[in-house]
Amino acid sequence: MENAATRLAAICANIARVCKPARRDTADVTLIAVSKTHDAPAIQPLIDAGQRVFGENRVQEAQGKWPALREGHQDIALHLIGQLQSNKAEEAVELFDVIHSLDRASLLSALAKAMDKTGRRVPCFVQVNIGDEPQKGGCPIAELPAFLAAARSADVPLAGLMCIPPADTEPAPFFAYLAKLAADNGLTGLSMGMSGDYETAVMLGATHVRVGTALFGERQGA
Ligand SMILES: *Cc1c(COP(=O)(O)O)cnc(C)c1O
């Protein structure tokens, strides 16, 4: 019988297996359990199994689920992995511990303002449009150095870079490119890799993998 806890153990074992040849320490890879669209009864078994880092892509959905799930677990960290509208910046800063989707100047100024107002400085990954896809979010590669400089001068803590490679394409070159961009810009955090490619991402230096389907099963109506 497969359940969330056994899938969690299998994914952790897979991460450990690829860390070895990559000469990486498993402690340097954070597994983010992406619980978007899943309800509390689906999430609770993972908390019971010891998982403490979760990812959501919508502020409102997370506000509905997490205050109760977090009760008695002050050590749970919530990561916002989805696109963020500037008018939700303050709510996001209040609820989330890390934001993975900082990708434009308007959002940067909204987040800086929200952090000043709430006194919470939430580390942010800058999302990079690594495949140069017009329909996708993410900072254009050519604009990255200037955008990082703007984030630094706005006193928004930078966690690193994040990407979602183009669908149906070999992801490894994009992961390697994101790692190079991070190194070139003095950043160490790399949020990359999802259910289908997290092992590849870990081999190429991911510090944060965002895994949903492989943990929870298929999402309903999402
Ligand atoms: C949903 C989502 C994931 C998880 O995707 P799976 O393929 O279900 O593992 C990772 N990153 C982002 C940004 C997502 O929106």
Side-chain angles (χ1 to χ4, degrees), residues 5 15 17 19 22 25 28 30 44 57 61 72 92 95 99 101 108 121 130 140 143 161 168 175 178-179 190 200 203:
I15 290 172
R17 183 173 43 76
C19 272
D25 189 334
D28 296 332
T30 298
Q44 190 63 51
N57 69 337
E61 182 185 337
L95 181 65
I99 292 171
S101 48
L108 173 62
R121 302 219 83 78
I130 200 75
E143 293 169 22
L161 300 181
D168 307 317
F175 293 155
L178 193 75
L190 285 171
T200 303
M203 284 190 269

Side-chain angles (χ1 to χ4, degrees), residues 34 36 57 81-82 162 164 194-196 210-214 219:
V34 177
K36 66 188 187 196
N57 69 337
I81 60 167
M162 178 273 211
I164 307 171
M194 316 193 341
S195 287
R210 312 177 306 266
V211 178
T213 310
R219 287 180 285 275

Side-chain angles (χ1 to χ4, degrees), residues 26-220:
T26 53
D28 296 332
V29 181
T30 298
L31 170 63
I32 302 171
V34 177
S35 50
K36 66 188 187 196
T37 77
H38 297 288
D39 59 10
I43 298 169
Q44 190 63 51
L46 284 181
I47 297 175
D48 295 342
Q51 177 67 25
R52 286 296 179 268
V53 185
F54 290 86
E56 292 282 346
N57 69 337
R58 292 209 169 94
V59 174
Q60 214 172 344
E61 182 185 337
Q63 282 171 330
K65 288 193 300 202
W66 280 97
L69 279 165
R70 256 176 162 173
E71 244 164 68
H73 296 290
Q74 296 310 310
D75 54 343
I76 285 178
L78 268 191
H79 290 230
L80 178 65
I81 60 167
Q83 292 248 349
L84 177 59
Q85 292 168 272
S86 296
N87 63 6
K88 298 251 173 73
E90 192 174 324
E91 290 166 276
V93 163
E94 278 167 345
L95 181 65
F96 289 95
D97 301 292
V98 183
I99 292 171
H100 291 243
S101 48
L102 171 56
D103 67 349
R104 59 194 189 279
S106 56
L107 181 59
L108 173 62
S109 56
L111 284 170
K113 203 191 270 180
M115 289 184 202
D116 288 343
K117 187 171 168 195
T118 60
R120 268 173 65 79
R121 302 219 83 78
V122 178
C124 294
F125 285 89
V126 169
Q127 183 174 350
V128 179
N129 190 349
I130 200 75
D132 197 19
E133 297 173 281
Q135 79 283 10
K136 245 190 206 162
C139 176
I141 291 165
E143 293 169 22
L144 184 62
F147 189 60
L148 293 173
R152 284 174 171 130
S153 64
D155 209 13
V156 167
L158 291 176
L161 300 181
M162 178 273 211
C163 77
I164 307 171
D168 307 317
T169 312
E170 168 56 52
F174 298 99
F175 293 155
Y177 192 20
L178 193 75
K180 179 182 172 355
L181 288 171
D184 288 351
N185 288 282
L187 295 166
T188 50
L190 285 171
S191 170
M192 56 188 198
M194 316 193 341
S195 287
D197 52 23
Y198 67 91
E199 290 156 298
T200 303
V202 168
M203 284 190 269
L204 290 165
T207 60
H208 293 72
V209 292
R210 312 177 306 266
V211 178
T213 310
L215 267 174
F216 290 98
E218 292 295 333
R219 287 180 285 275
Q220 306 293 314

